Amino acid sequence: MSEPHFQRIALIGIGLIGSSIARDVKELGLAREVVISTRSAETLKRAEELKLGTHYVASAEDAVKDADLVIVSVPVGASEDVARQIAPALKAGAIVTDVGSTKASVIAQMAPHMPKGVHFIPGHPLAGTEKSGPDAGFAGLFRDRWCIFTPLPGTDANALQRLKDFWIALGSRIDEMDAEHHDKVLAIVSHLPHIIAYNIVGTADDLETVTESEVIKYSASGFRDFTRLAASDPTMWRDVCLHNKDAILEMLARFSEDLAYLQRAIRWGEGDKLFELFTRTRAIRRSIVQAGQDVDAPDFGRHALDAKK
Ligand code: NAP
């Protein structure tokens, strides 16, 4: 066990991400006390049954009292509400961070409420699954995954380093960029693929010429991988779409143009165009495997991931 990085950590929100952090903190001994707070009494009770923390508190405001590190893990649309609740009780010198999938909006919602002397450092671990709730989390979720920080100008270097050291202890690789750039990058690597998945699964569901039972029965051929993405938490993804609107719309416009190009190539039998694109995209897949972001297994590494849990 390593030396505790913090005396008291407060976890606001204890779903997939919050509970995975809690499990790592416990396993690695990264804090003496872990105070957990969540919106519903039911989830709080479940967190206690799972022994995810040392204290369980209904009010977010009470939970952050005396905490050195506060990690907010709620849907991005709830960020302002949480910031307003916790602000009056934050200790001077505390670090407040979040894990939200969009960053400019979270900053706009939370920063104005942060008292002077509190270090607000937005973050985003690029790790997750399509599951949600405290039972879905697991230790090691963040291992070998990126955690991106989008610090505000003038952020205290010491506080930033402490937060980075915490995520490094969870096994993450860390990076830093500004919030607008983060939101563009994530729009293409994460948000657009989810939107496409929601769309394709919705289209299949609406088809009249292919029955739903055929879609389910023959789903091994490509469709299955979309259904995993399309099973992601509706609240989280509604909020991502609403809170990264500009970047997502920009990427969707590009996507639609490129799709029209592909559509034309298919219509006119332009095999060379199709072959050139499919060759280029195959090379990207190879680079992702080489960078250690996935394994070259036919199940896209899902069994390997399940085995880790
Ligand atoms: P989750 O499993 O659904 O858990 C959500 C948590 O937030 C629960 O504790 C829930 O409380 C609470 N919550 C929900 N709505 C709330 C509201 N309106 N006000 C206050 N609290 C609320 O979600 P998650 O997957 O951990 O995601 C949490 C954050 O991590 C999101 O911002 C998401 O963008 C980000 N993220 C997710 C992933 C992923 O793959 N899932 C990856 C990276 C980052 P109750 O259960 O008590 O209602």
Side-chain angles (χ1 to χ4, degrees), residues 97-229:
T97 189
D98 77 304
V99 297
S101 306
T102 73
K103 294 274 56 94
S105 161
V106 167
I107 292 171
Q109 292 180 66
M110 293 186 72
H113 297 282
M114 293 296 116
K116 252 188 147 174
V118 165
H119 308 291
F120 171 52
I121 308 174
H124 178 203
L126 306 193
T129 72
E130 69 279 19
K131 311 230 172 74
S132 37
D135 286 281
F138 55 95
L141 172 64
F142 309 105
R143 207 175 297 143
D144 297 326
R145 297 282 154 228
W146 287 100
C147 185
I148 300 177
F149 299 98
T150 60
L152 300 165
T155 294
D156 181 83
N158 252 338
L160 179 58
Q161 194 54 51
R162 282 193 80 193
L163 185 61
K164 285 182 175 174
D165 287 344
F166 173 80
W167 280 97
I168 290 169
L170 302 193
S172 294
R173 294 187 263 177
I174 53 166
D175 210 348
E176 224 181 280
M177 60 185 72
D178 69 58
E180 283 69 26
H181 188 65
H182 165 279
D183 289 354
K184 276 199 180 163
V185 173
L186 268 293
I188 189 69
V189 301
S190 170
H191 306 169
L192 197 61
H194 278 84
I195 290 166
I196 293 167
Y198 281 122
N199 192 53
I200 194 170
V201 176
T203 302
D205 192 41
D206 291 341
L207 282 180
E208 280 126 30
T209 47
V210 180
T211 64
E212 195 180 317
S213 66
E214 282 173 313
V215 168
I216 292 167
K217 186 169 159 192
Y218 300 121
S219 70
S221 45
F223 185 72
R224 192 190 59 182
D225 294 306
F226 283 111
T227 60
R228 187 181 66 80
L229 288 184

Side-chain angles (χ1 to χ4, degrees), residues 12-19 37-44 72-79 81-82 85 98-103 106 123-134 136-137 141-142 194 232-233 235-240:
I12 311 301
I14 196 75
L16 169 72
I17 301 293
S19 75
S37 181
T38 183
R39 180 180 58 166
S40 72
E42 204 184 330
T43 306
L44 193 63
V72 177
S73 312
V74 301
V76 289
S79 306
D81 225 27
V82 169
Q85 286 172 43
D98 77 304
V99 297
S101 306
T102 73
K103 294 274 56 94
V106 167
H124 178 203
L126 306 193
T129 72
E130 69 279 19
K131 311 230 172 74
S132 37
L141 172 64
F142 309 105
H194 278 84
S232 300
D233 187 67
T235 306
M236 171 185 158
W237 283 96
R238 177 204 61 198
D239 280 13
V240 167

